Amino acid sequence: MFRRQRRYVPQLNTASVADISFMLLILFLVVTSMDVDKGLTRQLPPLADNQTLQERDVNRRNVMQVTLTDDNRLLVDGTPMDTRRFGEKLMAFVDNPDNSAELPEKRLRTIPLLGQCRVTDRHVIQLEAARTSNYDLYFQVQNTIVAVYKRLRDNLARRRFHRSYDQCDDNQKKALRDYYPQRVSEVYAERKEGQP
């Protein structure tokens, strides 16, 4: 008397699902922009014809020793320092506005578009990092170095060319880089005997 009707579940046609998902995948690959991982841009200076890979004697006043210790401290010429004060000290070191005897020596050079200038182009920032130091501190120091050079070049560009460094043409940028060359030497601190 009471008969139940059997219900049938309708079947979905999935024949074109693979095609549609493949087309969507292609669409997203074409439309989406992929971020490219960027590293630190460092260009090693070219070797001169008569220069070899041997160490050269450098005047002590031309070297700023920056050390990242195992316990993640920043030392500048042996003195503990935070990154903000390091930026100020580095700016004074590279620029040497008063031609101080304790900062890098200035020498007279002729730079295209700038003429004869007294520059500190022999300075070296020696960055020594312990292999166990924190990457965050290392990148803070690297970013501070880049920011200081950018600020110095930008200030000079505004004084000489009446525009920012980014708005200068290639020849003007080259002249500014010759005035403030970025000279960074990086080494890793080796473990001493008795240390883990």
Side-chain angles (χ1 to χ4, degrees):
M1 170 156 104
F2 297 105
R3 275 190 145 177
R4 290 189 175 179
Q5 287 184 331
R6 288 189 176 181
R7 294 187 181 185
Y8 292 98
V9 177
Q11 298 290 323
L12 293 175
N13 184 4
T14 59
S16 63
V17 171
D19 294 336
I20 292 171
S21 57
F22 183 70
M23 288 175 23
L24 284 173
L25 177 66
I26 297 293
L27 173 75
F28 287 127
L29 285 175
V30 170
V31 173
T32 305
S33 64
M34 302 283 181
D35 287 337
V36 177
D37 290 337
K38 293 183 179 178
L40 296 171
T41 55
R42 292 285 183 266
Q43 183 175 2
L44 297 174
L47 289 175
D49 293 337
N50 59 356
Q51 188 178 14
T52 63
L53 289 174
Q54 298 172 353
E55 289 186 22
R56 294 177 41 193
D57 289 334
V58 178
N59 192 343
R60 174 64 191 113
R61 73 182 269 195
N62 291 337
V63 178
M64 175 184 272
Q65 291 180 326
V66 180
T67 308
L68 306 178
T69 64
D70 287 332
D71 56 350
N72 297 319
R73 289 186 310 142
L74 171 64
L75 303 176
V76 179
D77 291 328
T79 306
M81 194 170 291
D82 64 0
T83 53
R84 184 183 54 78
R85 282 190 38 230
F86 167 61
E88 295 167 3
K89 183 165 178 126
L90 179 62
M91 186 169 288
F93 176 80
V94 173
D95 196 22
N96 192 4
D98 301 325
N99 200 11
S100 170
E102 285 130 25
L103 296 175
E105 58 189 334
K106 287 192 170 238
R107 67 184 189 112
L108 196 60
R109 268 189 69 192
T110 301
I111 300 174
L113 301 178
L114 296 177
Q116 282 200 341
C117 308
R118 296 190 63 78
V119 296
T120 60
D121 60 347
R122 292 184 177 173
H123 72 275
V124 176
I125 302 161
Q126 182 183 357
L127 178 60
E128 182 178 347
R131 292 193 183 272
T132 57
S133 61
N134 191 341
Y135 279 119
D136 186 43
L137 178 62
Y138 176 79
F139 285 114
Q140 284 179 16
V141 169
Q142 287 286 354
N143 288 339
T144 302
I145 292 171
V146 170
V148 163
Y149 278 101
K150 182 173 177 16
R151 187 170 166 197
L152 286 169
R153 290 171 182 166
D154 196 55
N155 290 344
L156 182 62
R158 290 184 192 281
R159 281 195 317 266
R160 293 292 183 99
F161 304 124
H162 307 292
R163 61 178 68 125
S164 70
Y165 177 78
D166 293 331
Q167 295 172 334
C168 291
D169 63 28
D170 291 339
N171 292 330
Q172 292 170 335
K173 286 182 180 180
K174 183 182 181 320
L176 295 168
R177 285 192 306 268
D178 287 345
Y179 194 95
Y180 290 119
Q182 186 170 337
R183 299 173 48 100
V184 180
S185 169
E186 294 187 44
V187 293
Y188 287 108
E190 297 297 326
R191 287 189 180 136
K192 296 182 178 117
E193 285 188 37
Q195 290 183 341

